[in-house]
Amino acid sequence: MSSTSYRIPVVYTEEVREALHEGRPVVALESNVITHGLRFPENAETARRVEKAVRDGGSVPATICVEDGVIRAGMTERDIENFASEPGIPKVSSRDLPVVLARGGRGATTVASSLVAAELAGIPFFSSAGLGGVHRGAATTMDISSDLIQLTRSKVAVVCAGAKMILDLKLTMEYLETHCVPVIAHGSDDFPAFYCSSSGVRAPHRIDDEDMIAKVVATHWATGHPGGVVVTTPPRAEDAVDSAEAEAAIADALAQAERDGVGGQGLTKYLMHAVDRATGGRTAQANMAVLISTAEVGGRLAAAYARHLS
Ligand code: PSU
Ligand code: MN
């Protein structure tokens, strides 16, 4: 098998295939947030509401996963229920993807691997609540989420509420700047912090006009840039968590992680869950709300992009 003749199989749901064929807007979504980010049964309910939000925004949702060694672009209600309820489905990031595909395996895609999949599937928009980024203490741990690296390589626009608040958001912004990834803030001056409205870091550009954002995305790719664009949208005021409260819980969670010797690919989930326990479930609630509100903006922006191209 020569490397040029081997094509990665992508299996589309009929709805997604038809939408792409007809040039209608589609938004890709990750599945790792279903298996690792949230708990059953809220994860299944949230995944369904996220898909509905993409539709409300005027696009077709395509939740991405790996099943039987193929990339699925679009999951049925039943697939989502299975992923949400079955324990032990592995987190598959970009570095894991070839192994899981080649072995005919199954897995839940992170932002990074969902971007690889979306590009292969011909879907130029993706939405999630909070990107992975540069972890606090990365100067010694070198823990930088491959979400950021993949953003420099996949031609997919990513709509999100910034990056997760457990991270070092100042360094995350530095990373994106160094690697030439445009960051456009929609609806706020600052780069949002996932379930908090502001990271305290000003975004390089604020654009509220959605047609202009579509034009920026198209222009980025017209310049021949191989990577993505980050478009942020802040959490709705009623969903946002107070940042002082979140910060205190994060400080405790980081200390706990250090005591328990947690690092590597399990760290993000560990921290998110520790913060959630410390806030009495408040941050998981906010996480779900932000996933949904972001998906609707993603749906609108993908629709604006499709109009721009037509
Ligand atoms: N959202 C959550 N919890 C998560 C994630 C998202 O509420 O665990 C996942 C996303 O799939 C993201 C990944 O791509 O965390 C980043 O993990 P890491 O920091 O190990 O790269
Ligand atoms: Mn990591």
Side-chain angles (χ1 to χ4, degrees):
M1 173 162 44
S2 81
S3 61
T4 48
S5 69
Y6 182 54
R7 293 189 52 144
I8 304 293
V10 179
V11 174
Y12 300 89
T13 55
E14 203 173 307
E15 185 193 18
V16 171
R17 183 168 8 89
E18 276 176 12
L20 290 171
H21 186 73
E22 291 165 12
R24 284 187 284 122
V26 176
V27 175
L29 302 161
E30 61 160 312
S31 49
N32 184 57
V33 68
I34 304 175
T35 55
H36 290 67
L38 303 168
R39 291 191 181 82
F40 185 75
E42 290 85 10
N43 54 357
E45 174 61 15
T46 304
R48 282 191 287 271
R49 290 181 62 194
V50 164
E51 291 211 338
K52 179 175 179 296
V54 169
R55 292 182 204 285
D56 291 345
S59 294
V60 170
T63 305
I64 307 281
C65 71
V66 177
E67 191 99 69
D68 301 322
V70 302
I71 288 170
R72 289 195 179 269
M75 289 170 77
T76 62
E77 280 258 347
R78 190 149 172 199
D79 296 331
I80 288 178
E81 192 66 30
N82 289 342
F83 264 60
S85 58
E86 273 183 45
I89 296 177
K91 167 178 176 176
V92 174
S93 197
S94 294
R95 57 128 193 226
D96 312 304
L97 194 58
V99 180
V100 179
L101 287 172
R103 284 183 164 160
R106 178 185 209 206
T109 51
T110 62
V111 173
S113 56
S114 298
L115 295 182
V116 176
E119 188 170 25
L120 282 167
I123 303 172
F125 271 76
F126 169 86
S127 162
S128 186
L131 292 177
V134 180
H135 279 265
R136 301 185 190 197
T140 50
T141 63
M142 289 188 69
D143 191 347
I144 299 175
S145 173
S146 37
D147 292 357
L148 294 186
I149 289 82
Q150 198 60 54
L151 256 167
T152 70
R153 301 180 183 178
S154 296
K155 250 170 111 170
V156 179
V158 174
V159 182
C160 59
K164 292 196 207 1
M165 192 161 171
I166 55 167
L167 302 164
D168 187 323
L169 294 179
K170 212 161 165 251
L171 291 187
T172 299
M173 286 295 276
E174 287 292 349
Y175 187 97
L176 291 169
E177 179 181 348
T178 299
H179 290 274
C180 322
V181 178
V183 176
I184 313 296
H186 170 266
S188 66
D189 291 326
D190 286 354
F191 187 69
F194 191 33
Y195 36 62
C196 297
S197 310
S198 168
S199 60
V201 183
R202 209 172 171 86
H205 305 282
R206 173 177 178 158
I207 305 177
D208 289 349
D209 174 355
E210 295 176 2
D211 291 316
M212 180 53 74
I213 293 176
K215 191 173 173 188
V216 168
V217 171
T219 304
H220 182 56
W221 291 330
T223 66
H225 199 288
V229 175
V230 173
V231 182
T232 67
T233 174
R236 297 180 311 175
E238 61 268 38
D239 299 328
V241 176
D242 174 64
S243 55
E245 185 195 345
E247 262 314 324
I250 290 167
D252 287 349
L254 287 165
Q256 255 174 56
E258 179 137 14
R259 263 201 315 275
D260 293 352
V262 182
Q265 69 154 1
L267 180 64
T268 295
K269 178 177 175 178
Y270 179 98
L271 291 174
M272 303 287 291
H273 286 197
V275 171
D276 188 44
R277 277 194 307 276
T279 58
R282 181 84 189 79
T283 53
Q285 282 298 330
N287 190 346
M288 291 185 261
V290 173
L291 274 163
I292 294 162
S293 62
T294 307
E296 184 169 344
V297 177
R300 290 208 309 265
L301 289 170
Y305 180 76
R307 280 197 306 276
H308 180 81
L309 292 187
S310 65

